[in-house]
Amino acid sequence: MTGSEASPSFRLAYVPGVTPTKWVRIWNERLPDIPLTLVAVPAADAPALLRAGEADAGFVRLPVDGADLSAIPLYTEQTVVVIPKDHVAAAVDEVSSAELADDIVLHPLDDTLGWEELPGKPAIERPATTADAVELVAAGVGVLAVPQSLARLHHRKDLTYRPLSDAPESRIALSWPEDRTTDLVEDFIGIVRGRTVNSSRGRATAPAEQPKTKAKRTEGSGAGRKPAAGSSAGKNARGGSGGAKGAKGARGAKGAAGAKRGKPRRRP
């Protein structure tokens, strides 16, 4: 494994729709001396960017081709259909693919859903990007099925979206080149997985310092405490016959004798 000293900074790629703000904030809190640089990359280009060493790790959309890239799936996104606000589907809470049969469903070249069969009617041409497809939806040309994060990213006031119940879904994963699993990559994996700052990631760590505790008092050690008022010295001690126990017995016998002397005798 390459040590963290090999990378004075950490480069994190992310595809459209992913918001890495939370993880970047935790990184800056835990590793303030290691600057983190964000690298925005189209979803289709993310694997090549990682292989070229232009980022140490990245948030990508699955699947990632090739055994040379490691990937940890993080979450699955809901697929939605982007429609004009006056579309008939805007009146319902959820849409099925069958309900789009009369609509032109746009299929941009950067689509991330991997349809086996696109619902609705095909457009004459495929838009180059999702952003272009959103513009066509706003122009009334058709509708667009995308992961929900992309619908939010390209939000327009004249458009809305509804969940698409039976569409393929997109999964987000953290990926990095397997042969470059550096200490900094391990640090970021820990952050994404929710490990605390003290969690072990497999590195050798110094044993935690044990808290100091007061030595337990034993018989005969140092000056004893003064007995509380009304209590006998050595009452709870468990010494031998010559110790406190013997003294207690002697005091008990003496007290008994005193009690006997104080009792008046009967006259015959």
Side-chain angles (χ1 to χ4, degrees), residues 82-83 85 131 134-139 151-161:
V82 180
I83 53 178
K85 282 191 173 180
V134 171
E135 293 294 330
L136 292 175
V137 175
R152 290 174 175 170
L153 178 65
H154 299 289
H155 172 70
R156 289 175 54 114
K157 292 183 178 179
D158 53 348
L159 301 180
T160 187
Y161 60 83

Side-chain angles (χ1 to χ4, degrees), residues 16-36:
V18 175
T19 305
T21 307
K22 176 182 71 174
W23 297 300
V24 172
R25 174 181 54 80
I26 297 173
W27 175 279
N28 291 333
E29 290 173 355
R30 295 187 184 179
L31 301 163
D33 297 330
I34 308 295
L36 186 151

